[in-house]
């Protein structure tokens, strides 16, 4: 099974040895709410020790975006992006979602295998960070909600290998 531990703006899980597609619903009980103008969520996870990741890793963020603004009277009209959500894996940026419309969308990002080895954490966990920045300007009174659905997925193509059983890695679990 999957162990999940939830806290404000942080979730930590160990992914079970399932197929290549991991749904956020496997480790989240509810959608992630990012409230503007600035908010962040950290998801910490580990992979089974017998997985060797292959190319073709894909992150699919299923999101619902709502925002409103009250432009001052006059000819001021907002054009452009309402903000962005930056995606990081172990502090390396892996994608940016430009928020330019409200409603349901699915954003897809290819992640190179090297992103899982670069900036490796000492505790062996991977950190997926979602950072919402929607501060348009002080002239607008806006309310932003970026809802990441539990139907979001990460596709992790992998081979199964024998885990490293060297005692040099002790006390790391096998």
């Amino acid at each position: 099974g999957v162990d999940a531990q939830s806290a404000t703006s942080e979730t930590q899980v160990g992914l079970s040895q399932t197929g290549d597609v991991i749904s956020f619903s496997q480790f989240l009980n509810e959608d992630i709410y990012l409230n503007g103008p600035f908010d962040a969520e950290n998801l910490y996870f580990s992979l089974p020790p017998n997985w060797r990741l292959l190319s073709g890793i894909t992150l699919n963020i299923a999101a619902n975006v709502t925002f409103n603004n009250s432009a001052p009277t006059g000819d001021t009209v907002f054009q452009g992006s309402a903000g962005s959500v930056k995606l990081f894996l172990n502090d390396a940026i892996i994608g940016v979602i430009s928020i330019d419309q409200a409603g349901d969308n699915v954003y897809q990002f290819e992640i190179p295998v090297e992103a899982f080895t670069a900036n490796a954490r000492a505790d062996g966990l991977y950190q997926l960070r979602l950072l919402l920045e929607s501060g348009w300007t002080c002239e607008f009174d806006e309310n932003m909600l970026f809802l990441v659905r539990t139907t979001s997925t990460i596709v992790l193509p992998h081979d199964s290998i024998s885990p490293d059983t060297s005692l040099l890695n002790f006390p790391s679990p096998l």
Side-chain angles (χ1 to χ4, degrees), residues 91-104:
D91 295 326
I93 193 157
I94 58 171
V96 177
I97 297 170
S98 180
I99 303 168
D100 55 10
Q101 64 183 12
D104 289 314

Side-chain angles (χ1 to χ4, degrees), residues 65-81:
V65 179
T66 58
F67 58 88
N68 68 341
N69 67 327
S70 300
T73 51
D75 293 333
T76 306
V77 176
F78 174 76
Q79 295 181 359
S81 175

Side-chain angles (χ1 to χ4, degrees), residues 37 81-86 96-99 131-135 144 146:
S81 175
S84 66
V85 175
K86 293 179 182 168
V96 177
I97 297 170
S98 180
I99 303 168
L131 177 63
L132 170 67
E133 297 177 345
S134 68
M144 165 77 66
F146 190 90

Side-chain angles (χ1 to χ4, degrees), residues 53 89-90 112-121 126:
L53 294 176
L89 183 64
N90 291 348
V113 174
E114 295 77 29
F116 282 83
T117 56
N119 301 324
R121 295 171 46 96
Y126 301 99

Side-chain angles (χ1 to χ4, degrees), residues 27-87:
F27 53 87
L28 292 175
N29 293 326
E30 59 184 37
D31 297 331
I32 297 170
Y33 292 83
L34 297 176
N35 295 292
F38 302 100
D39 202 355
E41 177 76 18
N42 295 301
L43 302 174
Y44 295 90
F45 63 95
S46 61
L47 299 176
N50 65 329
W51 280 19
R52 183 176 58 88
L53 294 176
L54 304 172
S55 62
I57 300 169
T58 308
L59 176 63
N60 303 295
I61 300 291
N64 178 273
V65 179
T66 58
F67 58 88
N68 68 341
N69 67 327
S70 300
T73 51
D75 293 333
T76 306
V77 176
F78 174 76
Q79 295 181 359
S81 175
S84 66
V85 175
K86 293 179 182 168
L87 306 165

